[in-house]
PDB file of all heavy atoms in Angstrom:
ATOM      1  N   ALA A  52     146.728 121.980 221.293  1.00 37.00           N
ATOM      2  CA  ALA A  52     147.028 120.763 220.532  1.00 37.00           C
ATOM      3  C   ALA A  52     148.416 120.234 220.799  1.00 37.00           C
ATOM      4  O   ALA A  52     148.644 119.040 220.790  1.00 37.00           O
ATOM      5  CB  ALA A  52     146.865 121.027 219.028  1.00 37.00           C
ATOM      6  N   LYS A  78     167.823  88.353 215.511  1.00 56.00           N
ATOM      7  CA  LYS A  78     167.238  87.050 215.213  1.00 56.00           C
ATOM      8  C   LYS A  78     166.345  86.602 216.363  1.00 56.00           C
ATOM      9  O   LYS A  78     166.653  86.805 217.522  1.00 56.00           O
ATOM     10  CB  LYS A  78     168.331  86.017 214.965  1.00 56.00           C
ATOM     11  CG  LYS A  78     168.755  85.925 213.516  1.00 56.00           C
ATOM     12  CD  LYS A  78     169.566  84.655 213.291  1.00 56.00           C
ATOM     13  CE  LYS A  78     169.799  84.465 211.799  1.00 56.00           C
ATOM     14  NZ  LYS A  78     170.582  83.232 211.545  1.00 56.00           N
ATOM     15  N   ASP A 125     118.797  94.893 235.499  1.00 81.00           N
ATOM     16  CA  ASP A 125     117.514  94.358 235.945  1.00 81.00           C
ATOM     17  C   ASP A 125     116.841  93.475 234.898  1.00 81.00           C
ATOM     18  O   ASP A 125     115.663  93.146 235.020  1.00 81.00           O
ATOM     19  CB  ASP A 125     116.569  95.494 236.356  1.00 81.00           C
ATOM     20  CG  ASP A 125     116.277  96.469 235.219  1.00 81.00           C
ATOM     21  OD1 ASP A 125     116.839  96.267 234.114  1.00 81.00           O
ATOM     22  OD2 ASP A 125     115.510  97.415 235.439  1.00 81.00           O
ATOM     23  N   LEU A 132     118.247  83.832 227.442  1.00 90.00           N
ATOM     24  CA  LEU A 132     116.824  83.918 227.134  1.00 90.00           C
ATOM     25  C   LEU A 132     116.395  82.790 226.199  1.00 90.00           C
ATOM     26  O   LEU A 132     117.111  82.435 225.261  1.00 90.00           O
ATOM     27  CB  LEU A 132     116.509  85.249 226.451  1.00 90.00           C
ATOM     28  CG  LEU A 132     116.518  86.513 227.308  1.00 90.00           C
ATOM     29  CD1 LEU A 132     116.277  87.738 226.420  1.00 90.00           C
ATOM     30  CD2 LEU A 132     115.468  86.437 228.405  1.00 90.00           C
ATOM     31  N   ASP A 141     111.473  90.929 221.602  1.00 96.00           N
ATOM     32  CA  ASP A 141     111.766  92.369 221.585  1.00 96.00           C
ATOM     33  C   ASP A 141     113.188  92.632 221.087  1.00 96.00           C
ATOM     34  O   ASP A 141     113.427  93.571 220.314  1.00 96.00           O
ATOM     35  CB  ASP A 141     111.595  92.957 222.986  1.00 96.00           C
ATOM     36  CG  ASP A 141     110.143  93.005 223.436  1.00 96.00           C
ATOM     37  OD1 ASP A 141     109.251  92.887 222.570  1.00 96.00           O
ATOM     38  OD2 ASP A 141     109.921  93.145 224.653  1.00 96.00           O
ATOM     39  N   GLN A 155     119.772 100.946 205.260  1.00 98.00           N
ATOM     40  CA  GLN A 155     118.737 101.414 204.336  1.00 98.00           C
ATOM     41  C   GLN A 155     118.204 100.265 203.484  1.00 98.00           C
ATOM     42  O   GLN A 155     118.136 100.355 202.246  1.00 98.00           O
ATOM     43  CB  GLN A 155     119.288 102.551 203.473  1.00 98.00           C
ATOM     44  CG  GLN A 155     119.758 103.739 204.296  1.00 98.00           C
ATOM     45  CD  GLN A 155     120.556 104.757 203.490  1.00 98.00           C
ATOM     46  OE1 GLN A 155     120.438 104.823 202.270  1.00 98.00           O
ATOM     47  NE2 GLN A 155     121.378 105.544 204.159  1.00 98.00           N
ATOM     48  N   ILE A 162     115.077  90.004 206.409  1.00 98.00           N
ATOM     49  CA  ILE A 162     116.346  89.907 207.133  1.00 98.00           C
ATOM     50  C   ILE A 162     116.317  88.627 207.968  1.00 98.00           C
ATOM     51  O   ILE A 162     115.382  88.418 208.748  1.00 98.00           O
ATOM     52  CB  ILE A 162     116.575  91.129 208.032  1.00 98.00           C
ATOM     53  CG1 ILE A 162     116.665  92.410 207.199  1.00 98.00           C
ATOM     54  CG2 ILE A 162     117.842  90.953 208.863  1.00 98.00           C
ATOM     55  CD1 ILE A 162     116.713  93.685 208.021  1.00 98.00           C
ATOM     56  N   LEU A 180     118.134  79.415 195.291  1.00 98.00           N
ATOM     57  CA  LEU A 180     117.826  80.152 194.061  1.00 98.00           C
ATOM     58  C   LEU A 180     117.763  79.264 192.830  1.00 98.00           C
ATOM     59  O   LEU A 180     117.342  79.719 191.761  1.00 98.00           O
ATOM     60  CB  LEU A 180     118.857  81.264 193.849  1.00 98.00           C
ATOM     61  CG  LEU A 180     118.946  82.302 194.981  1.00 98.00           C
ATOM     62  CD1 LEU A 180     119.961  83.381 194.638  1.00 98.00           C
ATOM     63  CD2 LEU A 180     117.597  82.919 195.276  1.00 98.00           C
ATOM     64  N   SER A 214     136.610  84.137 185.678  1.00 95.00           N
ATOM     65  CA  SER A 214     137.668  84.326 186.672  1.00 95.00           C
ATOM     66  C   SER A 214     138.740  85.284 186.172  1.00 95.00           C
ATOM     67  O   SER A 214     139.059  85.330 184.988  1.00 95.00           O
ATOM     68  CB  SER A 214     138.312  82.975 187.011  1.00 95.00           C
ATOM     69  OG  SER A 214     139.376  83.139 187.915  1.00 95.00           O
ATOM     70  N   ASN A 247     143.069  88.182 199.260  1.00 93.00           N
ATOM     71  CA  ASN A 247     143.745  88.768 198.102  1.00 93.00           C
ATOM     72  C   ASN A 247     143.804  90.285 198.132  1.00 93.00           C
ATOM     73  O   ASN A 247     144.536  90.894 197.348  1.00 93.00           O
ATOM     74  CB  ASN A 247     143.062  88.300 196.815  1.00 93.00           C
ATOM     75  CG  ASN A 247     143.011  86.788 196.718  1.00 93.00           C
ATOM     76  OD1 ASN A 247     142.009  86.183 197.089  1.00 93.00           O
ATOM     77  ND2 ASN A 247     144.080  86.173 196.264  1.00 93.00           N
ATOM     78  N   VAL A 357     126.296 104.699 207.872  1.00 98.00           N
ATOM     79  CA  VAL A 357     127.186 103.996 206.941  1.00 98.00           C
ATOM     80  C   VAL A 357     128.088 104.963 206.176  1.00 98.00           C
ATOM     81  O   VAL A 357     129.225 104.618 205.822  1.00 98.00           O
ATOM     82  CB  VAL A 357     126.364 103.111 205.978  1.00 98.00           C
ATOM     83  CG1 VAL A 357     125.496 103.939 205.031  1.00 98.00           C
ATOM     84  CG2 VAL A 357     127.284 102.173 205.195  1.00 98.00           C
ATOM     85  N   THR A 383     155.852  96.661 199.991  1.00 97.00           N
ATOM     86  CA  THR A 383     155.186  96.479 198.704  1.00 97.00           C
ATOM     87  C   THR A 383     153.802  95.888 198.932  1.00 97.00           C
ATOM     88  O   THR A 383     153.541  95.235 199.951  1.00 97.00           O
ATOM     89  CB  THR A 383     155.972  95.533 197.772  1.00 97.00           C
ATOM     90  OG1 THR A 383     155.953  94.198 198.319  1.00 97.00           O
ATOM     91  CG2 THR A 383     157.409  96.001 197.600  1.00 97.00           C
ATOM     92  N   THR A 384     152.920  96.123 197.978  1.00 97.00           N
ATOM     93  CA  THR A 384     151.591  95.520 197.982  1.00 97.00           C
ATOM     94  C   THR A 384     151.346  94.977 196.587  1.00 97.00           C
ATOM     95  O   THR A 384     151.841  95.542 195.603  1.00 97.00           O
ATOM     96  CB  THR A 384     150.516  96.552 198.388  1.00 97.00           C
ATOM     97  OG1 THR A 384     149.261  95.877 198.584  1.00 97.00           O
ATOM     98  CG2 THR A 384     150.351  97.641 197.348  1.00 97.00           C
ATOM     99  N   LYS A 457     159.188 104.391 211.153  1.00 98.00           N
ATOM    100  CA  LYS A 457     160.396 104.296 211.965  1.00 98.00           C
ATOM    101  C   LYS A 457     161.176 103.016 211.640  1.00 98.00           C
ATOM    102  O   LYS A 457     162.412 103.044 211.536  1.00 98.00           O
ATOM    103  CB  LYS A 457     160.029 104.312 213.454  1.00 98.00           C
ATOM    104  CG  LYS A 457     159.419 105.616 213.928  1.00 98.00           C
ATOM    105  CD  LYS A 457     158.932 105.467 215.372  1.00 98.00           C
ATOM    106  CE  LYS A 457     158.231 106.721 215.845  1.00 98.00           C
ATOM    107  NZ  LYS A 457     157.726 106.570 217.234  1.00 98.00           N
TER     108      LYS A 457
END
Side-chain angles (χ1 to χ4, degrees):
K78 270 195 171 180
D125 60 359
L132 287 176
D141 290 343
Q155 301 169 22
I162 298 173
L180 301 182
S214 177
N247 304 95
V357 67
T383 67
T384 189
K457 294 173 184 179

